Amino acid sequence: MKSVVHEIYLSVSGEGISTGLPTIFVRFAGCSLRCGMDGSRKLWCDTPYALSPNAGKEMELEDVISEIGSISSTPIQILLTGGEPLENSNRIFSQTLAEKLKQSRQVSGLYTRVRVETNGAEPISNLENMVFTLDYKLPGSGMENKMILENLEFVRDRRDNLDEIKFVIRDRKDFDRTLEVIDGFKLKGNLLASPVFGELTPEILVDWIKENNRTDLRLSLQTHKYIWGEKRGV
C-alpha cells in the first residue's frame, strides 16, 4: 500500500488541546480546498507546498511505520495532517496506518489512536482508531459550502474527550458564524477559536469571546508560528 507523503518529522503540537505535546507529524500531499480565496482575498493555507497530490514522495505503509519508529522508540502522539490525510488515496492509507499503530502500541497502552487533522470536507463517521481535529470552514475561507455537516453531529454525539472542532476566524462575520454553528448544532466539548495568523489579532478575538460570554470557546493560537515563524518542518 502506497501514498504520497510530503514529510515526516518530530516537533511539538502547535494547536488545540494537545499544544506542547511531543508529536510526530505525518504530512500527506494533496488537498482540494483552497482556504482564504473568498473572491477578494488571498489564499491563507498554512501548507500551500503540500496542496498538490504530487507534492511529496510515494511511500509504502511499512516505510512510514519504520520512519515513525526510528524517530521515537517511545510511543508519542502521531498527527496525520496535510494536505488532507483523508482525501482520495490518503484515506485508506491513513486508516490502515492507524490500525497498524494501534496494534503495535497495545502493550504500552500509550497513544494507541492517531490524531487526524481534517478539513471538514471528508466524512469521518466510518473511521476507527482515530481522534479528530475537525475544521469547520467559515465564510472567510470561501470553502464553507464544502463542509459535511454530519461530521459535526458525529463528533458531538460520540462525546470523545480527545476530539476537537476548530474554527479558524478571519473577521467578525466569521466569529458570528462560529456562534451560529455552535448553537445551531448544540456543539459541546473542545471547541477551538483560532485567529487567521497575520489577519486577526488574538487580542481582538479574545475581546469578542469575552463580550459574548462564550465560556464554551477555547482560544487556540498557532504557537509554532510564534516560536519559529513560517519555517517549514518544525
Side-chain angles (χ1 to χ4, degrees), residues 166-193:
K166 181 172 66 173
F167 300 89
V168 180
I169 297 169
R170 190 173 208 171
D171 51 29
R172 184 60 193 237
K173 181 179 179 181
D174 276 358
F175 179 77
D176 291 341
R177 179 59 179 154
T178 296
L179 303 189
E180 289 178 0
V181 172
I182 291 172
D183 294 341
F185 284 88
K186 297 180 172 59
L187 301 179
K188 299 183 183 302
N190 301 309
L191 306 177
L192 311 178

Side-chain angles (χ1 to χ4, degrees), residues 28-233:
F28 290 88
C31 179
S32 61
L33 301 190
R34 294 295 181 268
C35 295
M37 298 177 69
D38 65 351
S40 61
R41 292 178 288 189
K42 65 180 182 178
L43 180 78
W44 76 45
C45 180
D46 289 335
T47 55
Y49 46 83
L51 289 176
S52 168
N54 301 313
K57 63 178 180 179
E58 195 172 62
M59 295 186 69
E60 294 279 358
L61 177 66
E62 293 306 320
D63 291 336
V64 173
I65 293 172
S66 177
E67 187 160 345
I68 289 172
S70 70
I71 291 174
S72 177
S73 59
T74 301
I76 63 176
Q77 176 172 253
I78 306 296
L79 175 64
L80 308 186
T81 186
E84 171 51 50
L86 301 181
E87 187 173 287
N88 299 327
S89 63
N90 293 343
R91 184 182 189 84
I92 185 65
F93 192 97
S94 292
Q95 188 171 12
T96 307
L97 176 60
E99 180 182 353
K100 295 289 187 181
L101 288 172
K102 182 176 183 179
Q103 291 171 358
S104 69
R105 294 177 170 195
Q106 289 286 18
V107 173
S108 70
L110 298 173
Y111 297 103
T112 57
R113 293 186 293 169
V114 300
R115 177 168 292 282
V116 178
E117 188 173 50
T118 182
N119 64 20
E122 302 295 329
I124 64 174
S125 60
N126 60 343
L127 299 172
E128 298 179 352
N129 307 315
M130 299 175 175
V131 294
F132 297 101
T133 298
L134 173 69
D135 273 13
Y136 183 87
K137 305 299 186 186
L138 296 159
S141 73
M143 297 288 119
E144 189 175 18
N145 65 332
K146 305 291 187 181
M147 295 298 92
I148 297 176
L149 300 181
E150 289 81 5
N151 285 341
L152 297 174
E153 297 169 342
F154 173 76
V155 170
R156 177 196 66 198
D157 294 343
R158 85 169 186 161
R159 298 181 181 179
D160 192 307
N161 62 8
L162 294 179
D163 287 340
E164 54 191 11
I165 301 174
K166 181 172 66 173
F167 300 89
V168 180
I169 297 169
R170 190 173 208 171
D171 51 29
R172 184 60 193 237
K173 181 179 179 181
D174 276 358
F175 179 77
D176 291 341
R177 179 59 179 154
T178 296
L179 303 189
E180 289 178 0
V181 172
I182 291 172
D183 294 341
F185 284 88
K186 297 180 172 59
L187 301 179
K188 299 183 183 302
N190 301 309
L191 306 177
L192 311 178
S194 181
V196 174
F197 190 82
E199 292 199 32
L200 177 64
T201 67
E203 292 90 342
I204 290 175
L205 181 53
V206 168
D207 284 342
W208 292 344
I209 293 171
K210 289 161 56 180
E211 289 167 7
N212 286 270
N213 193 32
R214 297 306 300 217
T215 58
D216 52 352
L217 272 177
R218 180 196 300 248
L219 178 71
S220 178
L221 301 180
Q222 294 179 298
T223 55
H224 50 289
K225 291 187 178 180
Y226 289 92
I227 299 171
W228 295 290
E230 299 286 352
K231 187 177 179 181
R232 291 164 58 170

